[in-house]
Amino acid sequence: MFDSIASALRGANRIAVASHLRPDADALGSTIAAALWLKSEGKDVTAWNEDGTLTKFHYLPGHELVSTPPATPEKFDVFLILDTSVKKRLGTVVDAIAPGALWINMDHHVSNELFGEINHVDPSAPATGQILFEFFRHAGVRITPAIATNLFAAISTDTGSFQYQGTNARTFDAGSALVSAGVDVATLSRAMYESQPKRRFELLRFALNRAEFHCEDRIATFSLTLEDAARLAVLPEDNEGIIDNLRSVEGVLSAIFFEELPDGKVRVSARSKDPAIDVCKVCQIFKGGGHPMAAGARVHGTLDRVKQDFLKVVCDEIRKRD
Ligand code: AMP
Ligand code: MN
Ligand code: MN
């Protein structure tokens, strides 16, 4: 598979690279790493994300390569899609790709819908950055310090700093090679993990005060209404990682974050701490997806309704395990 992807990319002139909306560092780091490589091969590269590069990811070298998609479609030879399990999570990027491009889908979500013409989906990889690293190694790509930094950020964040399920010797092998290629681990880690805006800290303070425990204290939840979000003046991107504080409690097997959205939907973000509780399966019931231990969905309904429905399914899963 890597060979056919490498030859499709090397044989193309105009290439678009994109990843999922509300991007994380795996989505953006992978997008930027791919764009940097393709540029170095002399390609005409366009990198898009529906949300552009959020300010909090400006530590990624080359972030200025990523822009928001235009309103009218553009022609490409290849459309490379990274870290995106379903087409709809590309958001408005899809409308900017004129028909005729070859869609290459590289991802690590077990729930990937294989919507590309070439699909390389490896759920055993803890990050798309890991897949890209292995692809680069296979294709003989020279990993510059900037590419290495983007891939390291992708892997570090998706593995919770090399901690989560799926982190194995292969992950540290990639980490080691990337550090050898020029990653400044301390500087990058400070930017990733110790530079949150005060605004986000206030959200965390609020979340910890409002945390609830359900299902004999085995589920921890936090809900954010539109009103709370407006009062705290938080940005959507501030939510990332808040849930990890709920999951950290001993005895909690699943943490769930419910966020009221302006379109009448609720964004559910779910985490598991026990491989027997597969939150991806639960999210798929609600038309979402993700990974067995970290998944999400956007569900129609009020915050309370969605919360009750979702909690019931997760609690049933936990009781099945008992
Ligand atoms: P999050 O909770 O937003 O950090 O997402 C956790 C994982 O679930 C990520 O790998 C996402 O790509 C995936 N995910 C989140 N929301 C959705 C959704 N609405 N549909 C499909 N996958 C999702
Ligand atoms: Mn992602
Ligand atoms: Mn990922």
Side-chain angles (χ1 to χ4, degrees):
M1 191 67 80
F2 278 167
D3 285 333
S4 55
I5 294 174
S7 61
L9 289 167
R10 283 184 166 137
N13 286 319
R14 289 210 72 201
I15 300 170
V17 188
S19 52
H20 64 81
L21 46 80
R22 282 238 192 162
D24 45 38
D26 190 26
L28 282 179
S30 296
T31 301
I32 298 165
L36 287 170
W37 165 55
L38 291 165
K39 271 188 167 297
S40 77
E41 295 251 341
K43 306 299 176 191
D44 179 354
V45 185
T46 299
W48 283 328
N49 189 285
E50 177 178 299
D51 296 302
T53 313
L54 305 168
T55 320
K56 71 171 179 174
F57 294 122
H58 282 186
Y59 62 81
L60 294 171
H63 66 84
E64 63 285 343
L65 293 174
V66 182
S67 59
T68 53
T72 46
E74 291 182 14
K75 276 201 158 310
F76 295 97
D77 302 318
V78 173
F79 178 29
L80 175 63
I81 304 136
L82 299 166
D83 199 43
T84 306
S85 56
V86 291
K87 194 174 155 187
K88 74 168 191 281
R89 286 186 48 83
L90 286 167
T92 51
V93 168
V94 169
D95 309 320
I97 306 287
L102 175 78
W103 286 41
I104 302 178
N105 170 14
M106 291 177 92
D107 184 31
H108 68 127
H109 293 89
V110 66
S111 60
N112 191 291
E113 287 179 351
L114 310 180
F115 56 88
E117 283 152 280
I118 299 179
N119 299 287
H120 180 86
V121 177
D122 178 1
S124 74
T128 300
Q130 168 97 39
I131 298 174
L132 217 49
F133 167 75
E134 289 167 0
F135 169 72
F136 284 167
R137 185 143 72 179
H138 182 90
V141 171
R142 194 179 76 83
I143 298 190
T144 62
I147 291 177
T149 302
N150 278 283
L151 293 179
F152 192 94
I155 296 170
S156 176
T157 51
D158 257 30
T159 56
S161 296
F162 298 86
Q163 293 178 65
Y164 298 157
Q165 200 82 14
T167 304
N168 54 29
R170 201 174 137 198
T171 327
F172 286 99
D173 178 34
S176 167
L178 293 170
V179 173
S180 296
V183 179
D184 177 343
V185 178
T187 303
L188 179 62
S189 299
R190 194 171 62 232
M192 291 192 288
Y193 304 120
E194 294 186 69
S195 302
Q196 61 176 324
K198 177 152 182 296
R199 195 183 64 229
R200 184 183 177 281
F201 182 83
E202 293 300 340
L203 173 65
L204 177 61
R205 189 206 301 271
F206 178 76
L208 295 181
N209 269 312
R210 289 286 188 89
E212 291 175 14
F213 292 88
H214 302 270
C215 198
E216 296 89 36
D217 288 352
R218 291 174 300 175
I219 304 179
T221 68
F222 164 57
S223 305
L224 186 69
T225 64
L226 284 169
E227 202 184 319
D228 293 332
R231 191 168 35 77
L232 291 161
V234 287
L235 300 178
E237 67 192 69
D238 295 331
N239 297 327
E240 194 186 344
I242 299 278
I243 191 171
D244 299 333
N245 296 277
L246 301 178
R247 180 173 52 182
S248 71
V249 179
E250 186 184 11
V252 166
L253 299 178
S254 175
I256 316 170
F257 172 39
F258 300 97
E259 178 192 359
E260 192 177 28
L261 298 176
D263 61 359
K265 288 187 183 166
V266 175
R267 172 175 169 264
V268 184
S269 186
R271 299 289 184 270
S272 166
K273 219 160 72 176
D274 182 331
I277 316 293
D278 184 338
V279 288
C280 181
K281 280 198 186 137
V282 174
C283 286
Q284 283 179 307
I285 297 172
F286 294 89
K287 307 256 179 305
H291 311 285
M293 306 188 72
R298 285 174 185 236
V299 190
H300 272 290
T302 63
L303 199 56
D304 280 342
R305 182 75 262 148
V306 172
K307 181 176 152 189
Q308 293 315 320
D309 292 350
F310 203 89
L311 270 178
K312 179 165 184 338
V313 180
V314 179
C315 194
D316 285 350
E317 283 298 308
I318 289 176
R319 297 213 167 111
K320 265 192 239 161
R321 161 196 169 275
D322 289 342

